[in-house]
């Protein structure tokens, strides 16, 4: 809305927005990979990651910490796959919302 308003006012000639972006948290809680951790899960998880991606499925940020136990490469790959799935869902909701 803000960008469209600025374009309408002639303050921008084109949208500076290049792609969608979304972020989500993932983690391993009691051995189970979870998407979009609640506070109680986040505060007790073994592994915690925050992932930010673009609509082109490119990573903007991946930040992870072994809170209670070190994680394997396979667990990291599983968490990134879970995050990608959740972010894809968020981006679809963004597209639907913006098309209204």
């Amino acid at each position: 809305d803000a960008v469209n308003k600025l374009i309408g006012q002639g303050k921008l000639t084109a949208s500076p927005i290049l792609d969608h972006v979304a972020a989500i948290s993932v983690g391993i809680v009691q051995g189970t990979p979870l998407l979009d951790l609640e506070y109680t899960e986040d505060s007790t998880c073994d592994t915690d990651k925050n992932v930010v991606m673009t609509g082109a499925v490119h990573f903007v940020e991946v930040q992870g910490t072994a809170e209670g136990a070190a994680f394997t490469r396979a667990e990291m790959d599983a968490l990134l796959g879970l995050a990608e799935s959740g972010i894809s869902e968020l981006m679809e909701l963004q597209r639907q919302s913006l098309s209204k």
Side-chain angles (χ1 to χ4, degrees):
D1 287 342
V3 169
N4 288 336
K5 181 177 180 180
L6 291 172
I7 291 171
Q9 294 172 342
K11 294 180 180 180
L12 288 176
T13 57
S15 175
I17 299 172
L18 303 176
D19 200 354
H20 291 270
V21 67
I24 202 155
S25 65
V26 291
I28 299 175
V29 179
Q30 296 178 356
T32 303
L34 296 178
L35 178 67
D36 197 19
L37 301 176
E38 296 177 8
Y39 173 77
T40 55
E41 295 165 333
D42 188 270
S43 63
T44 62
C45 68
D46 294 327
T47 300
D48 178 27
K49 292 194 183 323
N50 297 308
V51 181
V52 183
M53 296 178 79
T54 67
V57 196
H58 294 149
F59 292 101
V60 174
E61 179 182 5
V62 176
Q63 181 273 325
T65 305
E67 303 276 344
F71 53 90
T72 67
R73 176 60 184 256
E75 289 170 325
M76 182 173 73
D77 290 344
L79 289 174
L80 290 176
L82 190 59
E84 184 178 337
S85 173
I87 287 173
S88 293
E89 227 178 288
L90 290 172
M91 287 193 199
E92 181 55 34
L93 292 170
Q94 287 178 0
R95 287 183 188 95
Q96 290 173 13
S97 177
L98 291 171
S99 69
K100 293 179 182 181

